[in-house]
């Protein structure tokens, strides 16, 4: 079949029953589809056919417009019309109008008039035009008897039609149109599938042929749940109409219902037809199957409303290797039939995504896991227990004493060779051409370090400007600017990915059990002694394959191989393990009695052991310490507050209960985000050194991978400190090693957290239930604050506002939160 003919056929209504006729033109056969003989009851005889034609024409053309119509008919000459009539005689059951140009050109080898189909009434003197829809080209043409065509082509007399016959035919035609619409649901369009708006929707992976076209189904109320409901309705619907809706002969592209295994009813589209067997694609599942035609039924109109649930996605980071058989096989085994959380990087017809397995304690990046299949196994280094390795370089020492080492190997030599080729390439090619346009977790790229290119993997994206990376071959973690990263040129990508990471994770073996948590002094001594020393040696004590850690004895060049002079023995010096004395946080209001407990020295360890690091400080409202401790010169300017009676757009960062919540000025949110980015970049590059931390002083502290401006509220045991986030109003416990001086450049923006109390409600003690209700309605939301009172202070954390809150998210209704809480108390009192 000619391709253009295929397109013509495919564009026709799909679910009506069609017949097929073959027309031999120029030595080849064209297959045309047209409606079945259900239309023929209008054509009972030559005379009836003529009357039908006359009435169909006159129903569209008012007699007053007849001279105009006749004038237009002159544009189509009689020779053209005669040729069209000859074609239509071959199709006793009619021909689709938009199939006519193809047949005409193949038959007569001349061009079909360009505008001939724009007004089919111009052909009314040679054929009957049955309009199927509002589209002028969606019509069926029936040939008139030859004697009437001859008369019409030569006659100028108008046709007179009896009004009663006209009405009868119009009614019959209207009934036929309604019946056709019911039986031809191709006039109904299936709505497109909308990608879920939530940040990390869940998907079920169905199948894939390559990683650029992974078939998925979204899981959720409006997706998989709606589909299950529809399939239940289909089962009920078709059980009541078991044979009436059976399709006699389907057409390619037609949407149908299929009676599948286990008495399930599924939506499908016909791909091909051969004898009694039909190949269908299940549009909600994404896979294909060949079935008997007695399982295929007409798809009811009601089942067109749900979008097709089978969708496709593209796995980020695998585009260059999308057809690699090894990679495809691994992705298939890791993903098919499983549900994942998905990060959508780019919304398009086939969105770019990262899949995450969230079933365990840690989220696993499936894209990264599968890409490891492309690593060259021959380049992997497998350490052996009790083996000695020389010329080892320690590349990183973490704050918990973990080491990363580079051991001479075939893989390391190969990596150096590839990186040198990259250096040479960028000498002739501008590296600026390879800026990262779309950073995402797990992406492998290049970073300039000490005049050379290094492999890094993106581990966390903070914003469009700042992100965290891990150096794959040294184990170092750093926050960098997106603009500093470069994409790996495609011709080097496979080679770069094939080399496994060259940083081996190690721990010192046989350290005394009572050492406990590493002190800053011990970490610094280890760094100064071994970091980047080129000629260290290691002896492997044991291997923990489950954690990917080797326990080692570490030697500097001068001390190898004396076990008594190993780093393991030297670091046990008691002076390196002295912890700072504990300074405990007072949570009692000024002038009040302190909280009673067993003793001050028991308080902090109990909190840590019970897992209450974060919740404790948020559940007890601490009284502010006197602000005079912090010198005024070291303070940022105070945030200007509205006067009573004025409005303010705010964001609620913390909501404990109506008596205590924290707001941020909405207009300053962007400035705060910029500040946070700059702090991430600055402190990630600054050298980490222990500092003398003082209570009630300002510092920068790293909390959950972000640096915050904080006030130290207390110094607890085991090297933990309690901090108050001055821009977000949260209390946190962090390691003292994560605290650094707050430099002047970060003191220009006023602290953004404003303590607040809800106006319009009177309650001194808030129940847990009331607190939860309040929190669910305001926390992490932008609202409007109407200020009732302001309690000023020279310290930002001592200032407080009393305010009404208004939720203006609904288009027609403003929700006053104090009204809502009052109604809650009324309802609660009735229940009680």
């Amino acid at each position: 079949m000619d391709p253009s003919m295929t397109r013509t056929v495919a564009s026709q209504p799909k679910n009506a029953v069609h017949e097929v006729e073959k027309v031999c033109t120029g030595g080849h056969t064209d297959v045309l589809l047209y409606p079945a003989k259900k239309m023929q009851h209008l054509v009972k005889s030559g005379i009836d056919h003529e009357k039908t034609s006359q009435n169909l024409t006159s129903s569209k053309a008012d007699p007053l417009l007849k001279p105009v119509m006749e004038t237009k008919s002159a544009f189509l000459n009689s020779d053209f019309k005669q040729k069209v009539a000859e074609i239509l005689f071959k199709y006793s059951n009619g021909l689709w109008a938009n199939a006519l140009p193809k047949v005409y050109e193949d038959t007569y080898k001349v061009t079909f008039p360009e505008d001939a189909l724009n007004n089919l009434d111009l052909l009314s003197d040679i054929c009957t035009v049955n309009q199927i829809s509002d589209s002028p080209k969606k019509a069926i043409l029936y040939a008139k008897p030859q004697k009437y065509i001859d008369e019409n082509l030569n006659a100028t007399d108008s046709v007179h039609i009896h009004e009663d016959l006209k009405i009868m035919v119009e009614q019959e035609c209207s009934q036929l149109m309604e019946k056709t619409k019911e039986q031809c649901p191709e006039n109904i369009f299936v709505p497109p599938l909308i990608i879920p708006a939530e940040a990390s929707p869940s998907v079920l992976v169905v199948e894939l042929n390559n990683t650029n076209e992974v078939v998925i189904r979204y899981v959720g109320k409006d997706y998989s749940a709606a589909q299950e409901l529809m399939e239940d309705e289909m089962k009920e619907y078709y059980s009541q109409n078991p044979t009436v809706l059976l399709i006699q002969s389907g057409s390619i592209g037609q949407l149908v219902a299929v009676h599948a295994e286990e008495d399930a009813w599924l939506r499908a589209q016909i791909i091909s037809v051969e004898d009694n067997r039909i190949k269908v694609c299940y549009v909600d599942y994404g896979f294909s199957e060949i079935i008997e035609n007695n399982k295929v039924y007409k798809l009811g109109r009601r089942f067109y409303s749900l979008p097709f649930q089978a969708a496709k996605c593209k796995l980020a980071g695998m585009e260059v290797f999308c057809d690699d058989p090894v990679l495809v096989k691994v992705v298939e085994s890791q993903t098919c039939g499983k549900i994942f959380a998905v990060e959508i990087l780019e919304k398009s017809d086939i969105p770019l995504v990262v899949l995450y397995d969230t079933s365990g304690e840690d989220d696993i990046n499936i894209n990264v896991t599968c890409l490891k299949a492309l690593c060259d196994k021959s380049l992997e280094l497998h350490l052996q227990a009790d083996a000695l390795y020389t010329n080892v370089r320690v590349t990183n020492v973490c704050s918990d004493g973990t080491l990363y080492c580079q051991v001479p190997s075939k893989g390391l030599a190969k990596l150096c060779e590839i990186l040198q080729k990259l250096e040479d390439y960028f000498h002739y090619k501008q590296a600026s051409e390879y800026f990262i346009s779309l950073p995402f977790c797990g992406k492998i790229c290049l970073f300039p370090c000490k005049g050379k290119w290094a492999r890094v993997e993106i581990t966390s994206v903070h914003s469009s400007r700042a992100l965290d990376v891990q150096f794959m071959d040294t184990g170092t973690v750093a926050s960098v600017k997106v603009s500093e990263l470069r994409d790996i040129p495609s011709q080097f990508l496979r080679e770069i990915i094939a080399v496994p990471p060259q940083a081996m994770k190690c721990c010192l073996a046989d350290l005394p059990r009572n050492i406990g948590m590493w002190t800053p002094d011990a970490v610094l001594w280890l760094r100064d002694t071994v970091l980047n020393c080129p000629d260290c040696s290691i002896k492997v004590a044991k291997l923990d394959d489950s954690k990917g850690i080797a326990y080692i004895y570490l030697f500097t060049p001068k001390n190898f191989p004396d076990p008594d002079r190993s780093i393991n023995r030297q670091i046990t010096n008691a002076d390196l393990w002295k912890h700072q004395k504990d300074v405990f946080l007072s949570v009692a209001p000024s002038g009040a009695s302190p909280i009673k407990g067993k003793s001050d020295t028991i308080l902090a360890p109990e909190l840590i052991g019970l897992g209450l690091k974060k919740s404790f400080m948020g559940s007890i409202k601490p009284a502010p310490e006197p602000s005079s401790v912090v010198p005024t010169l070291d303070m940022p300017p105070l945030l200007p507050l509205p006067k009573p009676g004025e409005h303010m757009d705010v964001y609620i960062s913390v909501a404990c209960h109506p008596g205590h919540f924290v707001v941020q000025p909405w207009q300053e949110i962007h400035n705060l985000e910029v500040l946070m980015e700059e702090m991430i970049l600055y402190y990630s590059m600054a050298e980490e050194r222990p500092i003398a931390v003082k209570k009630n002083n300002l510092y920068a502290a790293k909390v959950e991978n972000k640096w915050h401006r904080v006030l130290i509220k207390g110094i607890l045991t085991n090297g933990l400190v309690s901090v108050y986030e001055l821009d977000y109003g949260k209390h946190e416990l962090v390691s003292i090693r994560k605290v650094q001086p707050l430099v002047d450049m970060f003191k220009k923006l006023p602290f953004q957290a404003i303590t607040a109390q809800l106006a319009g409600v009177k309650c001194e003690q808030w129940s847990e239930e009331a607190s939860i209700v309040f929190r669910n309605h305001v926390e992490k939301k932008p609202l409007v604050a109407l200020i009732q009172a302001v309690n000023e202070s020279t310290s930002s954390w001592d200032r407080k506002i009393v305010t009404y809150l208004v939720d203006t998210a609904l288009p027609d209704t403003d929700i006053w939160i104090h009204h809502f809480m009052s109604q809650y108390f009324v309802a609660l009192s009735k229940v009680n």
Side-chain angles (χ1 to χ4, degrees), residues 755-773:
T755 305
Q757 175 182 332
L758 186 64
V761 290
K762 294 181 179 180
C763 184
E764 295 183 0
Q765 186 69 34
W766 297 95
S767 67
E768 183 64 22
E769 292 81 1
S771 300
I772 292 173
V773 169

Side-chain angles (χ1 to χ4, degrees), residues 7 44 160 208 214 259 448 756:
R7 289 193 293 272
K44 297 177 182 176
H160 176 73
L208 70 148
V214 180
H259 193 188

Side-chain angles (χ1 to χ4, degrees), residues 630-636 698 742 744 747 751:
V630 181
T632 307
L633 293 176
D634 291 340
M635 296 281 288
L698 302 180
L742 183 65
D744 289 342
K747 295 179 182 178
F751 295 136

Side-chain angles (χ1 to χ4, degrees), residues 439-459:
F440 57 88
C441 290
K443 181 178 177 66
I444 297 174
C445 39
L446 300 173
F447 181 81
C449 181
K450 298 178 181 179
K452 295 185 177 181
W453 293 104
R455 298 191 300 176
V456 297
E457 179 184 325
I458 298 175
T459 56

Side-chain angles (χ1 to χ4, degrees), residues 194-214:
I194 305 299
I195 295 176
E198 58 193 285
S200 298
S202 295
V203 300
L204 171 69
V205 177
V206 180
E207 66 175 12
L208 70 148
N209 292 319
N210 63 71
T211 62
N212 280 348
E213 292 184 331
V214 180

Side-chain angles (χ1 to χ4, degrees), residues 16 93 130 140 162 192 208 238 325 370 399 411 469 488 601 720 743 800:
N93 293 317
N130 188 6
I140 305 150
H162 295 291
L208 70 148
Y238 288 101
C370 293
S399 57
V469 299
I488 301 170
T601 57
L720 296 175
V743 296
K800 184 176 182 178

Side-chain angles (χ1 to χ4, degrees), residues 142-215:
Y142 297 94
K144 290 184 178 180
Q146 185 63 50
K147 64 175 183 177
Y148 298 106
I149 293 176
D150 294 340
E151 291 175 3
N152 288 337
L153 291 178
N154 297 309
T156 57
D157 295 336
S158 60
V159 180
H160 176 73
I161 302 175
H162 295 291
E163 194 62 30
D164 57 344
L165 182 59
K166 175 181 176 181
I167 293 172
M168 181 189 73
V169 175
E170 283 181 347
Q171 290 176 344
E172 190 172 4
C173 187
S174 175
Q175 292 171 0
L176 178 63
M177 290 288 289
E178 289 300 317
K179 186 176 180 181
T180 302
K181 285 182 180 180
E182 176 63 32
Q183 296 182 358
C184 299
E186 70 279 355
N187 293 321
I188 309 170
F189 294 99
V190 178
L193 183 69
I194 305 299
I195 295 176
E198 58 193 285
S200 298
S202 295
V203 300
L204 171 69
V205 177
V206 180
E207 66 175 12
L208 70 148
N209 292 319
N210 63 71
T211 62
N212 280 348
E213 292 184 331
V214 180
V215 179

Side-chain angles (χ1 to χ4, degrees), residues 516-531:
M517 188 173 183
W518 281 65
T519 63
D521 287 341
V523 173
L524 287 174
W525 180 88
L526 185 58
R527 286 176 179 170
D528 292 339
T529 305
V530 302
L531 198 58

